[in-house]
Amino acid sequence: MNRVLSLFAVGLLLTTCSSLFAADKPNVIFILADDQGSVDAGCYGSKDLHTPHMDSLAVHGVRLTQFYSAAPVCSPSRAGALTGRWPVRAGVPNNCSSKKGGGGALPSEEITLAEMFKAAGYTTAHIGKWHIGYTPETMPLAQGFDYSIGHMGGCIDNYSHFFYWNGPNRHDLWRNGEEVHEDGTYFPQLMADEACAFIEKNQDKPFFIYYAMNTPHYPYQGEAKWLEHFKEVPYPRNLYAAFIASQDERVGQVLAKLDKLDLRKNTIIIYQSDNGYSTEERAHFGGGNSGPYRGAKFSMFEGGIRLPGIISWPGKLPEGEVRDQMAHACDWMPTLAELTGVKLPETHLDGRSMVNMLKDATAQSPHFNHPLHWQVGNGPNAAWAVRAGDWKLIANTRDTHEDAQNASFKIFLANIMEDPGEKNNLADQHPDVVKRLTKLHEEEFAK
């Protein structure tokens, strides 16, 4: 009996110590937009959109102008951001299934941001889109989240919460692994309400929220007031702009909840898009904007992967500043671990901490001597890219911009600092650079 009581006391002490250790940690909210274009926010130069709340994160934080997502398409991008590992290394080279029980998923042995924070005493929540596993073993509760509400597939209608785009129509809304029905509830508002409720409930202890929006991914379903507001904007930009404004309004609601509870200065907020805007038929063949960059969603050209990226922690990180150094979605895990003081997972990470760069405008990119890598798919026809310094090499290109000339290249080399729009293929002029970057790619994924 004494042994049992002693073990109980030790367990209680460890639990108490873990709680005390976590108590002084900042909260973390990771806001992930879905198919938001490279320059589609006021703080990135757009003059025809309404994004005051997204812009406020830049006002009170650091805006990155050479920020790259982990992939030009949904599932691999999310896998990279959540694990700090190149998506191929994390086991997600392609989009995962949008059908319950379907194939493709983030392997259960991969360690997510949620698992990292949960081990440090945080309460964790997934709110919104998942799209990296649709079986009980690969849904959010099995990947480190204490609470989950959202859809498991790639997209849903925002009012019926049905997936209409492949095979039989099927309902896709789940709370903690159980199907729930909220017919008629506008999904962006449902997300904001859920986030605000979670923040309210957990305001006295550290929390991590993965706020994975399904906006402005198709179907474009901006609210009536915003459709009216943008009625003079040419189609399909008007539809996209209305949806972005509806999205921004909900981001504002979450920020307002933090302010009301006096949590803003103790909360790190990350904002990024998962990939470039869509030019698919279901997205009206466009609406978004890559600005000066070539390509869009699905493309390894800059417009598919060079995207909005912001981090805000008022009072602890610089405010209203811009960093032009290279950064990558896989960098969030080591960056957040350093900022919060939590222990990194004992696994190979491809991301590198940005903390020095964020705090010091003159600091080098964490990738100054460490190339960036992308790959979608497997085999000889896989699309891949390497960025080393100013040089970027793409294999098996796909240009998805609306006015693309449907030109494809087996190899495309650009100097990004001299030609950010990737207008000129320099592969023939610099075979030595092609050879060097190809070797970097081959060696990286041979590990």
Side-chain angles (χ1 to χ4, degrees):
M1 179 62 72
N2 288 338
R3 175 178 167 78
V4 172
L5 290 174
S6 296
L7 289 173
F8 176 77
V10 170
L12 181 62
L13 178 62
L14 290 174
T15 301
T16 302
C17 289
S18 177
S19 298
L20 291 173
F21 174 74
D24 62 348
K25 301 296 184 186
N27 308 308
V28 178
I29 301 178
F30 187 162
I31 303 175
L32 184 63
D34 196 359
D35 293 7
Q36 183 172 347
S38 304
V39 299
D40 280 332
C43 61
Y44 279 90
S46 287
K47 305 297 185 184
D48 58 346
L49 299 177
H50 181 80
T51 60
H53 301 298
M54 297 179 218
D55 298 340
S56 75
L57 293 174
V59 171
H60 298 290
V62 179
R63 180 171 63 88
L64 306 171
T65 59
Q66 280 200 84
F67 176 80
Y68 290 99
S69 66
V73 66
C74 293
S75 298
S77 178
R78 290 155 200 274
L82 283 173
T83 65
R85 288 155 59 83
W86 310 137
V88 170
R89 203 187 312 282
V92 187
N94 296 296
N95 260 349
C96 300
S97 176
S98 291
K99 184 177 181 180
K100 184 180 178 182
L106 181 68
S108 58
E109 60 267 22
E110 292 294 322
I111 302 172
T112 67
L113 282 168
E115 289 169 307
M116 181 182 81
F117 282 116
K118 188 172 182 177
Y122 280 63
T123 303
T124 58
H126 152 260
I127 298 172
K129 175 174 173 174
W130 185 239
H131 204 198
I132 48 174
Y134 209 155
T135 65
E137 299 77 22
T138 58
M139 288 164 69
L141 294 190
Q143 298 282 17
F145 291 96
D146 297 308
Y147 182 78
S148 171
I149 176 74
H151 62 97
M152 298 298 107
C155 58
I156 54 170
D157 175 85
N158 286 283
Y159 294 96
S160 70
H161 315 134
F162 268 74
F163 181 92
Y164 290 115
W165 294 273
N166 178 271
N169 301 337
R170 48 191 180 270
H171 182 258
D172 184 6
L173 184 62
W174 304 79
R175 178 180 281 111
N176 293 331
E178 300 292 331
E179 188 175 13
V180 294
H181 291 82
E182 298 282 352
D183 297 355
T185 302
Y186 190 48
F187 188 71
Q189 188 61 55
L190 184 152
M191 282 188 61
D193 291 344
E194 288 279 349
C196 290
F198 185 86
I199 292 168
E200 183 95 37
K201 181 179 179 181
N202 295 282
Q203 61 182 296
D204 296 324
K205 51 190 174 183
F207 57 77
F208 167 67
I209 300 176
Y210 173 48
Y211 193 76
M213 300 182 292
N214 67 325
T215 52
H217 192 290
Y218 59 78
Y220 293 165
Q221 291 178 307
E223 296 167 288
K225 66 177 182 179
W226 292 116
L227 289 167
E228 175 66 20
H229 179 85
F230 290 106
K231 65 181 180 181
E232 301 301 326
V233 174
Y235 166 86
R237 183 70 168 175
N238 60 327
L239 304 180
Y240 181 90
F243 210 20
I244 283 279
S246 300
Q247 165 187 312
D248 184 79
E249 192 170 0
R250 272 67 192 191
V251 170
Q253 291 174 12
V254 176
L255 299 181
K257 173 60 72 172
L258 293 173
D259 289 336
K260 181 179 180 181
L261 298 175
D262 196 27
L263 294 175
R264 189 71 173 271
K265 290 187 177 181
N266 196 41
T267 302
I268 301 170
I269 302 173
I270 289 169
Y271 187 98
Q272 73 155 91
S273 177
D274 66 341
N275 47 248
Y277 74 95
S278 174
T279 56
E280 298 163 88
E281 180 178 8
R282 292 165 287 188
H284 301 264
F285 301 104
N289 189 359
S290 293
Y293 310 121
R294 183 174 187 171
K297 181 179 179 180
F298 298 114
S299 177
M300 291 288 187
F301 286 117
E302 294 285 276
I305 53 177
R306 184 166 172 168
L307 303 163
I310 303 169
I311 183 169
S312 173
W313 190 10
K316 299 295 179 65
L317 289 175
E319 299 182 49
E321 295 194 12
V322 176
R323 299 289 182 268
D324 191 43
Q325 297 92 323
M326 284 193 299
H328 190 279
C330 287
D331 297 336
W332 292 130
M333 179 175 274
T335 300
L336 289 171
E338 183 172 347
L339 289 175
T340 60
V342 308
K343 184 180 179 182
L344 275 172
E346 294 182 359
T347 186
H348 172 89
L349 294 181
D350 296 303
R352 296 177 177 272
S353 176
M354 293 184 274
V355 172
N356 287 342
M357 184 189 83
L358 294 173
K359 291 184 176 181
D360 181 0
T362 65
Q364 292 179 335
S365 163
H367 297 283
F368 180 76
N369 289 314
H370 301 279
L372 295 174
H373 294 269
W374 297 266
Q375 181 171 318
V376 174
N378 285 310
N381 295 319
W384 57 265
V386 179
R387 171 90 191 263
D390 295 345
W391 291 106
K392 180 181 169 191
L393 181 69
I394 311 174
N396 302 314
T397 65
R398 181 178 179 185
D399 192 350
T400 51
H401 198 271
E402 299 100 319
D403 58 2
Q405 302 301 309
N406 296 318
S408 59
F409 302 87
K410 189 67 178 176
I411 288 291
F412 190 100
L413 179 69
N415 185 304
I416 297 301
M417 297 310 292
E418 296 177 358
D419 180 21
E422 295 169 299
K423 295 180 174 64
N424 303 303
N425 186 1
L426 303 178
D428 289 342
Q429 291 97 307
H430 297 277
D432 55 328
V433 179
V434 170
K435 182 178 180 180
R436 177 168 62 88
L437 269 59
T438 299
K439 184 178 180 181
L440 288 174
H441 164 75
E442 293 171 348
E443 291 177 343
E444 182 68 17
F445 293 106
K447 294 178 183 178

